[in-house]
Amino acid sequence: MKHDIVVTCTFGLESVLKRELFSLGYRDLQIQDGRITFAADEAGIARANVFLRSADRVYVKLSEFDAYDFDQLFKGVRKINWQDMIPVDGIMHVKGRSRKSKLSSVPACQSVTKKAIVEKMRLSYGIDHFPENGTRFPIEIILEKNRAQVTLDTSGAALFKRGYRLHTGDAPLKETLAAGLVLLSGWKPGTPVIDPFCGAGTLLIEAAMIGRNIAPGINRNFLAMEWAFLDPDIWSKAKAEALSRMNHHKLELFGYDIDPHAIDSAGLNAKNADMDNAIHFARRDISEFQFSGESACVITNLPYGERIGDRDTLDELYRTFRNGLSPYVKFDKHIFTAHDHFQEIFGRADKKRKLYNGNIKCHFYSYFNQAKGRKESSP
Ligand SMILES: C[S@@+](CC[C@H](N)C(=O)[O-])C[C@H]1O[C@@H](n2cnc3c(N)ncnc32)[C@H](O)[C@@H]1O
């Protein structure tokens, strides 16, 4: 049976997520801000959860209909065959959102949605009381321009929780965003990667997993694994597929940071991810930046004002970094920051992409190997 699957991501990562879905074999993708919808069989639910690096969550879309008033909302939700998915003891947890819609009160929409679900369950099961002490079913009612969408969250814990990052430092990136930045950079294994402000090592650990083709969800569980209405084999098959795709490429990844605690955390996180044999971490101030290789790809996330550091010191840090990198004309350099006059310090980027880190507007600035000239990241 085909399902409409909705995957969400950080604003700005839609193109990366699109490429990821494309390489998993999915087509006819409907792309909106922060979300992509596509049709797939049940196996697609498991594959999306296990394989997607830049997605935040994977939902199944159960229905979509016009809802200009509560009556339409109630009837639309009641039409769904909830009894085919939710057992008698299932927890029906309803969340909601509303934008540019007549039904603007989110609590009221949630309450009407829940009532309609319970009514359908009562009619189907022939009972009045549901203990709600079993498996969770997180239901979302989204109203957008008077159109209602009802979805079920299959991921449970958000997908950035890969399970390896037990230690964090200052302003860590979410794993999903870090993976998205590496994919946007167009880096390919064979070229060394350097993160001179590596913090807890997230960018490099994600790069290592990309380089070795290790699925980000291989070692974790997903809420929908507990749902009896889905074939349990979809999960074991997706994980077996993930195992078969792994490689043992030799990688050269280097992480530096001024903070010794950050370096300790990065090392422990890399060990948890089983990537410690691919990444070399060392304590180093950016003023001592040097690299002996011919080519490299620098991908990094500098401190920026909103979260750490004071303005003048920060600008000085950026200048030191620029000066340190300037002899390495053959390197590709990718810098993620919210610094608002970054290009005045660093020069005009070959490519600039707007992205959000939580609700902080940031940019990903790319400067390509000057010996080769401007190039695009791979499609
Ligand atoms: C925004 S955080 C990086 C977070 C990292 N991407 C992660 O996901 O954990 C910036 C890092 O720059 C480091 N840093 C600050 N000044 C530095 C300097 N002069 N040299 C090297 N690292 C520095 C901080 O210790 C901090 O870990």
Side-chain angles (χ1 to χ4, degrees):
M1 181 184 148
K2 284 267 181 195
H3 295 270
D4 276 338
I5 301 179
V6 181
V7 288
T8 54
C9 66
T10 295
F11 285 109
L13 283 186
E14 296 86 353
S15 64
V16 171
L17 186 55
K18 178 182 138 192
R19 273 185 245 156
E20 287 200 83
L21 285 164
F22 205 80
S23 72
L24 285 176
Y26 300 112
R27 300 289 181 270
D28 297 326
L29 311 175
Q30 294 167 43
I31 303 162
Q32 292 161 288
D33 281 350
R35 57 175 45 220
I36 300 185
T37 308
F38 62 101
D41 56 12
E42 270 190 9
I45 299 171
R47 294 181 81 230
N49 273 298
V50 170
F51 285 103
L52 293 175
R53 298 181 194 281
S54 57
D56 287 334
R57 286 178 186 279
V58 177
Y59 299 86
V60 177
K61 187 164 94 183
L62 303 178
S63 185
E64 191 176 338
F65 51 88
D66 284 339
Y68 288 87
D69 57 38
F70 287 121
D71 192 45
Q72 277 183 312
L73 178 63
F74 188 87
K75 286 183 177 146
V77 174
R78 194 180 52 186
K79 243 188 187 169
I80 299 166
N81 287 327
W82 296 100
Q83 72 285 355
D84 293 348
M85 297 170 279
I86 307 183
V88 171
D89 63 354
I91 301 172
M92 300 164 260
H93 185 246
V94 182
K95 280 204 318 191
R97 273 188 287 138
S98 175
R99 220 182 126 248
K100 295 186 181 165
S101 297
K102 285 192 164 180
L103 296 180
S104 58
S105 162
V106 172
C109 291
Q110 288 173 182
S111 157
V112 168
T113 302
K114 176 84 184 243
K115 279 195 186 124
I117 300 169
V118 172
E119 161 116 341
K120 184 63 170 273
M121 296 274 283
R122 273 203 299 121
L123 293 171
S124 314
Y125 283 113
I127 54 170
D128 282 337
H129 177 69
F130 295 92
E132 298 203 46
N133 57 5
T135 308
R136 270 188 326 119
F137 289 83
I139 297 146
E140 216 176 351
I141 175 77
I142 304 162
L143 284 136
E144 172 94 31
K145 294 185 188 154
N146 301 306
R147 194 102 183 123
Q149 237 188 54
V150 186
T151 63
L152 204 49
D153 172 10
T154 70
S155 302
L159 296 181
F160 75 84
K161 295 188 176 163
R162 319 277 208 223
Y164 67 76
R165 201 170 69 181
L166 304 179
H167 309 267
T168 56
D170 273 339
L173 288 174
K174 274 192 185 162
E175 292 83 337
T176 40
L177 177 56
L181 297 179
V182 175
L183 292 171
L184 274 178
S185 77
W187 167 73
K188 294 279 174 293
T191 304
V193 181
I194 313 169
D195 180 355
F197 299 89
C198 70
T202 325
L203 276 163
L204 292 169
I205 296 170
E206 291 297 323
M209 290 171 66
I210 290 167
R212 296 220 169 124
N213 217 4
I214 295 169
I218 195 152
N219 288 321
R220 61 159 273 180
N221 289 333
F222 306 96
L223 179 61
M225 288 172 144
E226 298 170 28
W227 299 345
F229 81 91
L230 293 176
D231 176 357
D233 286 351
I234 60 173
W235 305 101
S236 47
K237 282 187 182 146
K239 292 205 175 188
E241 180 185 352
L243 280 175
S244 73
R245 287 176 174 223
M246 276 162 53
N247 67 56
H248 297 281
H249 284 162
K250 187 174 174 320
L251 300 172
E252 290 180 279
L253 310 177
F254 302 88
Y256 306 108
D257 200 288
I258 195 170
D259 178 359
H261 300 296
I263 292 301
D264 289 346
S265 298
L268 291 168
N269 291 333
K271 199 166 167 48
N272 288 336
D274 212 10
M275 291 295 116
D276 47 329
N277 59 2
I279 317 172
H280 170 77
F281 289 108
R283 189 194 161 274
R284 190 181 287 176
D285 189 310
I286 193 59
S287 59
E288 299 153 21
F289 183 83
Q290 53 161 306
F291 191 75
S292 56
E294 261 282 290
S295 67
C297 179
V298 175
I299 312 176
T300 199
N301 157 221
L302 267 80
Y304 41 82
E306 284 84 348
R307 288 166 83 171
I308 29 184
D310 119 295
R311 197 53 188 241
D312 290 343
T313 335
L314 210 60
D315 285 2
E316 191 49 42
L317 180 74
Y318 278 66
R319 279 191 287 273
T320 310
F321 182 37
R322 177 202 61 199
N323 296 342
L325 278 186
S326 62
Y328 300 93
V329 292
K330 289 190 179 168
F331 289 11
D332 285 337
K333 299 153 194 166
H334 305 274
I335 295 133
F336 182 68
T337 180
H339 194 304
D340 52 15
H341 55 273
F342 172 79
Q343 291 183 104
E344 285 168 31
I345 298 178
F346 244 77
R348 194 166 172 274
D350 295 319
K351 195 153 189 167
K352 174 183 161 190
R353 296 157 169 112
K354 185 165 75 175
L355 286 161
Y356 281 84
N357 186 8
N359 51 17
I360 302 173
K361 187 170 90 177
C362 297
H363 285 97
F364 192 45
Y365 298 94
S366 296
Y367 300 83
F368 298 111
N369 177 346
Q370 289 168 27
K372 280 193 192 155
R374 190 174 185 277
K375 67 177 182 189
E376 299 284 327
S377 55
S378 59

